[in-house]
Amino acid sequence: MFKVTPNPPDTDSPDTDPASPYESLDSKKLNEAAERALDFYLNPAAIMNNTPRKPSTLYMVAPDVDQEALLVQTCENLASASVMASDIAAMVEGPHRNTLLALQQVIMLGELAVNRMLDNFVPPK
């Protein structure tokens, strides 16, 4: 009786290497993606060293704005945040109220520091 045997695979091509864990090009991409994911969660230093940080330009302070204007804007923003936190704390009871009041106090302390900086600010000549 004659038994049909399949031809052995062509080992000259890297895609058909019998020792390769990749069955196709797609499985290579999947394996690379899995390696990146594992590095991201288990070895974040490898990711950080390989990719330089590029800051986002979506929200950017114009480089020609002077320091006094930035301090004034920061002071106004902190004052608004303080009022908002105080208003929300007035609507809440219990430990959440205490947390909001503590947050409002931290914002107010930041506002005081920025006000002191504005008081001592000497514009460049």
Side-chain angles (χ1 to χ4, degrees), residues 38-123:
L38 287 172
D39 282 343
F40 180 80
Y41 289 106
L42 302 177
N43 191 9
I47 298 290
M48 291 300 192
N49 293 338
N50 292 339
T51 55
R53 185 181 182 289
K54 182 182 174 197
S56 173
T57 57
L58 183 60
Y59 302 105
M60 186 175 96
V61 176
D64 58 341
V65 176
D66 65 333
Q67 293 178 357
E68 185 177 16
L70 291 173
L71 286 172
V72 168
Q73 186 63 43
T74 302
C75 185
E76 290 177 3
N77 289 343
L78 288 170
S80 296
S82 179
V83 169
M84 287 187 284
S86 180
D87 288 349
I88 293 172
M91 294 185 251
V92 179
E93 294 182 7
H96 296 295
R97 177 184 170 93
N98 295 337
T99 303
L100 286 168
L101 288 173
L103 176 64
Q104 188 265 341
Q105 185 177 14
V106 169
I107 294 169
M108 185 182 64
L109 291 172
E111 181 186 1
L112 288 172
V114 173
N115 272 324
R116 174 62 61 92
M117 289 176 66
L118 276 172
D119 292 341
N120 296 332
F121 183 77
V122 177

